[in-house]
Amino acid sequence: MYTAIVFDPETEQRLQELMVFFPYPHSVGWVLYGHHVTICMGTNSKKKFPFGEKVEIKVVGLGHTLATDIPEKKRKGIDDMEAKVAFAALVELPEGKFIKNDSPHITLGVNWHAGGKPVHSNYAQWYSGNHQLNAKEMGFNPFTVTGTVEVCGA
């Protein structure tokens, strides 16, 4: 069970469409997401995110996780160390809102075929500045989405 900012199906579809910015094959074995931003595990968000609250967040960047970005003890089921196992969108939360994760993000896609899991997006390398790919050079422009604070997986 976890608490998250959950998006409606139209927003989820819009977020999934960001997969076009990743210049790697992502059809076979990939599952698309774009469902939420995790606030915390369990149901206690310390009242910083009241249940049912509408939260506007800005999608500001993109990133991917390679198998080698994941700590070795958390790579169970991944055999190909060159594999890209997750794609994600980096987000900015409203002023005064914080979560435990240092890089609030939305998991966009996971390569289940290569052993990827949604949790692997926590290790994403973000495209910005001097990184191998600059999201803006790829044609990505930041945008805002709104979700609702909910308890998931109950």
Side-chain angles (χ1 to χ4, degrees):
M1 196 168 17
Y2 58 96
T3 302
I5 301 166
V6 178
F7 306 111
D8 63 35
E10 292 81 22
T11 302
E12 191 172 336
Q13 177 65 38
R14 181 177 182 197
L15 291 164
Q16 289 174 358
E17 290 169 2
L18 292 173
M19 291 293 285
V20 302
F21 289 104
F22 295 101
Y24 315 109
H26 53 264
S27 54
V28 177
W30 284 83
V31 174
L32 300 183
Y33 291 91
H35 176 258
H36 69 274
V37 174
T38 302
I39 296 171
C40 66
M41 300 311 292
T43 60
N44 181 5
S45 68
K46 300 191 186 221
K47 300 194 175 53
K48 291 180 185 174
F49 291 91
F51 297 120
E53 177 183 30
K54 297 282 187 195
V55 180
E56 188 174 276
I57 60 173
K58 188 172 184 181
V59 179
V60 297
L62 303 170
H64 70 236
T65 306
L66 300 172
T68 54
D69 295 326
I70 303 166
E72 191 172 344
K73 65 182 180 180
K74 298 191 179 199
R75 291 185 198 155
K76 185 177 180 184
I78 300 175
D79 296 322
D80 179 1
M81 288 301 111
E82 298 297 314
K84 289 164 183 66
V85 295
F87 291 139
L90 183 65
V91 301
E92 287 180 357
L93 298 170
E95 191 170 327
K97 299 282 189 178
F98 302 96
I99 63 173
K100 192 173 184 179
N101 193 315
D102 291 337
S103 298
H105 65 277
I106 303 162
T107 301
L108 300 176
V110 172
N111 185 351
W112 286 92
H113 182 75
K117 297 178 179 66
V119 69
H120 292 151
S121 63
N122 287 325
Y123 307 102
Q125 302 300 306
W126 304 107
Y127 301 153
S128 62
N130 296 324
H131 196 278
Q132 63 188 12
L133 292 172
N134 182 313
K136 288 185 180 172
E137 288 175 10
M138 294 167 28
F140 169 81
N141 291 305
F143 61 95
T144 301
V145 294
T146 301
T148 306
V149 178
E150 299 179 16
V151 175
C152 303

